[in-house]
Amino acid sequence: DAKTTQPTSMDCAEGRAANLPCNHSTISGNEYVYWYRQIHSQGPQYIIHGLKNNETNEMASLIITEDRKSSTLILPHATLRDTAVYYCIVRVGGGGKLIFGQGTELSVKP
Amino acid sequence: DTEVTQTPKHLVMGMTNKKSLKCEQHMGHRAMYWYKQKAKKPPELMFVYSYEKLSINESVPSRFSPECPNSSLLNLHLHALQPEDSALYLCASSQEVGSYGYTFGSGTRLTVV
């Protein structure tokens, strides 16, 4: 599975959009981009995934560049409860292990 | 029921003890997983079960012994652990091994003394 690179930490003001970047320059054509988050003392939580089109659900939006070498997770109106470690994972569709990288620690501040 | 339940939430054990961690889900998921997470580190995959059969063992030491007695239950048997095995042990499940959304439990925090 391709490797991902994320900033170690980011801050965001409450109510503003949080944009979390992820680089995956070695991604293959059959690999999906997944995002999970882990709030302190809890298990990871699935957020969203995509192959090449932009995706949106009730939690977030996922923007994938046309060359698929990077993506951005957008939390449109961040709240204090969005403070967590966000993991960007690249994984082969229909199989493959879910392997977590170092993630981005997002702090949402009042 | 959309949860993965792990028990106990906390466990302290001596290096000569034998203990077990339990994980249960009633979502009809046929894939179940054990992850280990050390402080300030990402979760690391340990074992994958598919349809109650072990499909992946990530070179985990034999002092960790997984068991899947039925499609809803996953156990992790612990024996002769070392203090460096102290960690948060997370269980997860998904519809199938290739499914996109894993559901994780809140974990068992294990301390080996």
Side-chain angles (χ1 to χ4, degrees):
Chain A
D1 294 326
K3 195 175 162 78
T4 62
T5 305
Q6 299 178 252
T8 304
S9 63
M10 293 180 63
D11 290 341
C12 177
E14 189 178 19
R16 305 298 292 266
N19 296 283
L20 293 97
C22 179
N23 285 322
H24 31 78
S25 57
T26 61
I27 193 169
S28 301
N30 64 345
E31 288 181 314
Y32 286 70
V33 180
Y34 292 79
W35 284 84
Y36 281 73
R37 73 179 182 184
Q38 187 173 21
I39 295 169
H40 183 60
S41 296
Q42 296 182 22
Q45 177 190 24
Y46 165 80
I47 301 173
I48 199 167
H49 76 287
L51 182 62
K52 52 184 176 181
N53 297 322
N54 297 338
E55 302 288 345
T56 296
N57 62 20
E58 65 278 4
M59 288 183 69
S61 295
L62 174 60
I63 308 297
I64 302 174
T65 57
E66 196 165 336
D67 64 7
R68 301 210 322 123
K69 293 186 177 183
S70 65
S71 60
T72 302
L73 179 75
I74 300 172
L75 308 178
H77 305 286
T79 71
L80 300 179
R81 286 178 294 181
D82 292 321
T83 292
V85 178
Y86 287 77
Y87 295 101
C88 170
I89 302 167
V90 169
R91 177 180 173 224
V92 171
K97 306 170 193 175
L98 194 71
I99 304 296
F100 290 82
Q102 295 304 311
T104 296
E105 189 166 5
L106 176 70
S107 296
V108 180
K109 299 180 185 298
Chain B
D1 189 353
T2 58
E3 290 187 347
V4 171
T5 303
Q6 290 189 244
T7 54
K9 293 201 181 308
H10 300 273
L11 179 63
V12 179
M13 63 183 289
M15 290 188 285
T16 58
N17 290 160
K18 286 185 181 180
K19 296 285 184 183
S20 298
L21 310 184
K22 181 179 168 182
C23 172
E24 202 162 2
Q25 57 87 14
H26 297 287
M27 295 175 280
H29 288 176
R30 304 313 300 267
M32 297 185 77
Y33 314 84
W34 281 114
Y35 282 80
K36 172 183 176 179
Q37 186 173 26
K38 303 278 280 182
K40 301 286 188 184
K41 297 291 187 184
E44 295 175 25
L45 182 65
M46 300 175 71
F47 301 105
V48 178
Y49 271 83
S50 178
Y51 287 83
E52 297 143 56
K53 293 193 188 317
L54 181 66
S55 65
I56 295 176
N57 176 342
E58 290 287 288
S59 303
V60 179
S62 59
R63 58 185 184 270
F64 295 91
S65 175
E67 179 198 19
C68 190
N70 60 57
S71 59
S72 300
L73 191 56
L74 185 66
N75 298 320
L76 186 63
H77 302 297
L78 314 172
H79 173 56
L81 294 194
Q82 303 296 310
E84 58 264 29
D85 295 321
S86 298
L88 181 68
Y89 288 84
L90 293 160
C91 174
S93 70
S94 64
Q95 285 281 359
E96 308 266 347
V97 166
S99 299
Y100 62 85
Y102 285 26
T103 302
F104 281 82
S106 294
T108 294
R109 188 160 298 282
L110 174 69
T111 303
V112 182
V113 297

